[in-house]
Structures are given as structure tokens and as C-alpha cells.
Amino acid sequence: MTTLLYDLCGRDPELRFSPYCWRAKMALVHKGLELETAATHYTDIAAIENGAAKAVPVLNDNGRVVPDSFAIARYLDEAYPDRPPLMGDEAMVAACRLIEGWANLTLGPIIMRMIVLRIHDQLSDADRPYFRKTREARFGRKLEEHQTGVEANLDALNAALQPARLALAENTWLGGRAPRFTDYILFGSLMWLTVIAGRLPLAADDGVTAWFGRCLDLNGGFARRAKLAKAA
Ligand SMILES: N[C@@H](CCC(=O)N[C@@H](CS)C(=O)NCC(=O)O)C(=O)O
């Protein structure tokens, strides 16, 4: 029985930074699945599972191929209903969509301004021109202009994280009493920043920092073993 996840990597195959892949990996270990990952470069994605997807993560669970982190979490709840739920019911699926939108559309652009050039610099020789071309077309400027750095965007990140901070003042997890996909969505975004920046640049006494540490400890410290880039 193998559960294989195609997981984005840098020039160093151990450097796994994709927020979406982190969401999927946390969902898989949450279900207690024995996970194998295939280190995947951007320029390898087209060849995955006979062209099954244009983006990673892509899951192959004993022959069942599922692209997209959110779809993977939904699939896992359907396929493994006896294991701890990631979302569980339709209300939670709908709430997770909102959290996904917030993480991708509010936090994502702030984190991009912090690290996009650093991501580029971590990529393989083949990936770098692809990444530069596609991202510069998206942002309408050079990566060197788009990245203004961690410190310059920290106030914006802290402000954008306030909803999570307030929720975590009431509950141990964004999912309430236990971690759910709610948690893994935000965790994935902050892991992206942490792996590339080499550290989570939030204050030590921030409730989000404490929660992030709890996430790192989940499932035998699965995410704590992640390789980080050298901090600047
Ligand atoms: N909605 C997808 C988004 C996945 C995604 O955008 N992945 C990025 C890596 S972080 C990717 O593979 N991009 C392909 C590309 O830029 O060519 C998910 O949640 O899994």
C-alpha cells in the first residue's frame, strides 16, 4: 500500500516549500497514512501521472490520482472516514473554503512580497527561468522589485493574521478542540514562509507562534523535521 504525494522542491530536493503541498502533507499524516513524497520541480509537473495536473500537490493513493490540496483533503475524508476528520461535514467544508481564500488571497500576496526572489534563488537551474517568466508576467515587474523583504511586510502580515490570533485566543486549534484542515491551510502558508525565510518571523509571545509550534509537534513532529533554507 503506498500513498505518494508529488511535492514541490528546490534545487535541493529536500527543500520542500509549497504552501499547498504542506497542506496536503499535513492532511495525509493527520489520517495516519504512511506517506512517500516525490520531490518535484516546477518543470517536472507536466509529466506527473501522464499529465494529470498543472500544479502540485498531486496525490496517488494506491492508483487513485487526486490533484489540488483542497480536493485531496476532501478525498481523504471520503476514503478514510474512520480516521480523524479533516473537515467532516459540509459546513466545515464551506468554512474551510473561506479560510483557504483568506490564506491564498490575503496572506499569500504579503508573503510573496517577503520572499519571491528568495524562492527563485532556491530553485533548480531549469526552474529558475520558468519561475521568473511566469511570476514577472503575473506581477508586472521584476522579482527584484516585487520582493521588498520580510521586515518591510511584517506589519502587514501581523495585521492580516489578526483573525487567526483572535480565534486562537479562544481555542487551541482553528478547528476547535482538535486540529482540522482549518489549521493545515494556515499552517501551509506559514510553512512556505518559514522554509524559505529560514524562520517564522513572528513574535515569540504571539498566539500564532505558539499555535505554529503545536502544529510542528503534530504527528510525531512530522513538520518539525522539514529542512529550512538558511536564514538571511
Ligand atoms: N489550488 C491548488 C494550487 C496549487 C498550486 O498553485 N501549486 C503551485 C506550487 S506552490 C504550482 O504547482 N504551480 C505550478 C506552476 O506555477 O507552474 C492547490 O490548493 O493545491
Side-chain angles (χ1 to χ4, degrees):
M1 299 278 277
T2 45
T3 304
L4 179 70
L5 190 82
Y6 294 89
D7 186 11
L8 193 65
C9 69
R11 180 177 57 249
D12 176 350
E14 294 309 315
L15 198 78
R16 309 292 178 91
F17 55 90
S18 159
Y20 310 107
C21 294
W22 273 108
R23 292 173 191 173
K25 283 182 286 188
M26 293 299 278
L28 285 154
V29 292
H30 178 95
K31 288 287 186 185
L33 296 173
E34 212 153 292
L35 176 62
E36 267 182 49
T37 59
T40 307
H41 298 106
Y42 279 105
T43 43
D44 299 333
I45 292 174
I48 292 175
E49 301 288 350
N50 306 312
K54 289 190 163 52
V56 283
V58 178
L59 174 69
N60 184 331
D61 187 26
N62 295 294
R64 173 75 189 266
V65 176
V66 186
D68 187 274
S69 60
F70 203 96
I72 290 169
R74 292 199 73 170
Y75 160 77
L76 291 173
D77 270 347
E78 277 164 30
Y80 301 94
D82 300 337
R83 314 259 178 112
L86 286 157
M87 294 192 255
D89 61 22
E90 283 307 306
M92 188 63 151
V93 173
C96 279
R97 274 295 186 206
L98 177 66
I99 295 177
E100 182 193 48
W102 164 71
N104 292 354
L105 302 177
T106 303
L107 300 181
I110 298 169
I111 296 173
M112 212 48 121
R113 300 293 305 261
M114 288 178 152
I115 58 169
V116 69
L117 183 62
R118 290 179 60 106
I119 296 172
H120 168 271
D121 293 347
Q122 291 293 342
L123 297 178
S124 69
D125 290 347
D127 274 9
R128 283 185 195 190
Y130 167 77
F131 184 83
R132 180 178 284 282
K133 188 165 169 231
T134 52
R135 272 49 179 183
E136 289 186 349
R138 187 188 298 172
F139 303 137
R141 56 182 154 190
K142 303 285 290 173
L143 298 183
E144 284 76 0
E145 290 160 347
H146 198 69
Q147 177 180 298
T148 48
V150 171
E151 290 308 318
N153 292 285
L154 202 48
D155 286 351
L157 182 66
N158 273 316
L161 284 170
Q162 190 62 3
R165 202 170 283 122
L166 293 176
L168 290 168
E170 274 184 32
N171 286 300
T172 308
W173 303 100
L174 296 177
R177 279 193 290 272
R180 298 279 199 111
F181 198 55
T182 43
D183 295 85
Y184 304 143
I185 294 170
L186 176 59
F187 178 75
S189 296
L190 293 181
M191 205 51 190
W192 175 39
L193 171 60
T194 301
V195 169
I196 295 292
R199 65 192 178 96
L200 181 69
L202 303 180
D205 62 355
D206 189 330
V208 177
T209 305
W211 161 87
F212 188 78
R214 291 195 289 281
C215 290
L216 290 174
D217 288 337
L218 286 170
N219 303 300
F222 172 78
R224 217 175 257 293
R225 292 191 286 276
K227 181 160 190 179
L228 310 185
K230 257 209 217 112

